[in-house]
Amino acid sequence: MKAAFIEQTGPASSIQYGELPVPEITESQVLVQVGAVSVNPIDLYIRSGLVAANLPSPYVIGSDLAGTVEAVGAKVTRFKVGDRVWGVQHSSAGHQGTFSELCAIDAPWLHAIPEDVRDEDAAAIALVGITAHLGIVREARLQPGETIFVHGGTGGVGSAVVQMAKAIGARVIATAGGEEKVKRCRDLGADVVIDYRASDVASELQTAAAEGVDVFFETLREPDFDFAIGAMAPRGRMVVMAGRDARPEFPVGPFYVKGCSLHGFMLLKASAEEQQAAADDINRWLSAKQLRPLIDRVMPLSEAAEAHALQEKQTLENQGNLTGKLVLTP
């Protein structure tokens, strides 16, 4: 089979594209004929070695996938050959990744694809969608009628948070950079969009939510806690899910006086049951057209190295070059 892989951790240019053996599945795994995959920041960290992981060599990169069941292990009862599925591979646990024509994945991490949803959309929403859901539902417990602020409303996770929050019935305030991204964010359903390139975000947010926001969803790698806590309502909840090396100052006094709470989490530490609960809502919202995965572009799998380089400019260099996910197809 064709696959995008590395022989050792390194820069995006270390990604190779070529032939590897078809994986053999265990009795609890599913072999998926991959229809689409997508790039996530965690993929950059694992490929570069910034996140230590037990990787086989060669290692097929990638976390997200969508496709069709090719074979099932003897103990798998949830899926059969021909079923369409999407999911997130737990690559850091020693498994191969998803950027290949065929992928072996443990059955609990797979979810059915609704009939009217494309593989490209299912792959684009996989990791970012479950991450967004865990953040606003499990962690922040966002309620109808509450106000949520999303820092970065057109990114992979941010765009999912905007749409899910609206589906829940919340009022959504988001930031975006430039007229085009501001319009895209409004199209996703945000009630108020602040252009961080043309406006003072703090003052605009104060105008839009004078009493403060109930949930502050941070997608940036370097949180400004003074700004965030100042913007939060009493008993506000802040969610953080990025910035492994960030060590910002934290204003303890204003935080506890307001009775705020801080929630950090990782998708890869969520149980199969928690991820399935998120997937159930995601599938329901996809079918109802309340959730539209934001895709910047679709590329061939053979251009995986270029896709990683593009994602690095967005994630590590803050160039704002992407609006949504990079999706690749074999």
Side-chain angles (χ1 to χ4, degrees), residues 105-127:
I105 183 169
D106 294 341
W109 308 120
L110 288 173
H111 320 286
I113 298 179
E115 281 188 15
D116 54 349
V117 175
R118 305 180 306 159
D119 284 351
E120 291 87 347
D121 291 323
I125 202 62
L127 186 145

Side-chain angles (χ1 to χ4, degrees), residues 13 20 24 53 59 66 90 96 99 128 148 168 171 209 214 229-230 238 249 270 280 298 301 307 309 317 328:
S13 59
L20 289 180
E24 296 182 5
Y59 167 64
H90 286 216
Q96 292 285 6
F99 277 40
V128 296
I148 181 172
I168 288 170
R171 177 174 180 251
D214 301 293
I229 294 166
M238 182 178 183
E249 292 187 3
D280 290 342
V298 178
L301 184 60
E317 300 174 23
L328 296 90

Side-chain angles (χ1 to χ4, degrees), residues 21-81:
V22 173
E24 296 182 5
I25 59 172
T26 68
E27 59 186 9
S28 61
Q29 288 186 317
V30 172
L31 184 66
V32 178
Q33 181 179 354
V34 178
V37 297
S38 67
V39 183
N40 295 285
I42 186 62
D43 303 334
L44 309 182
Y45 305 142
I46 292 173
R47 182 263 301 153
S48 67
L50 289 175
V51 170
N54 177 25
L55 304 179
S57 181
Y59 167 64
V60 177
I61 62 174
S63 303
D64 289 341
L65 90 165
T68 305
V69 174
E70 182 82 5
V72 297
K75 290 187 176 180
V76 176
T77 58
R78 292 180 58 226
F79 302 107
K80 65 181 185 303
V81 173

Side-chain angles (χ1 to χ4, degrees), residues 12-24:
S13 59
S14 66
I15 298 172
Q16 303 177 50
Y17 180 73
E19 295 282 347
L20 289 180
V22 173
E24 296 182 5

Side-chain angles (χ1 to χ4, degrees), residues 206 208-213 231-234 258:
Q206 171 64 30
E211 303 300 318
V213 300
M232 291 162 67
K258 274 190 173 182

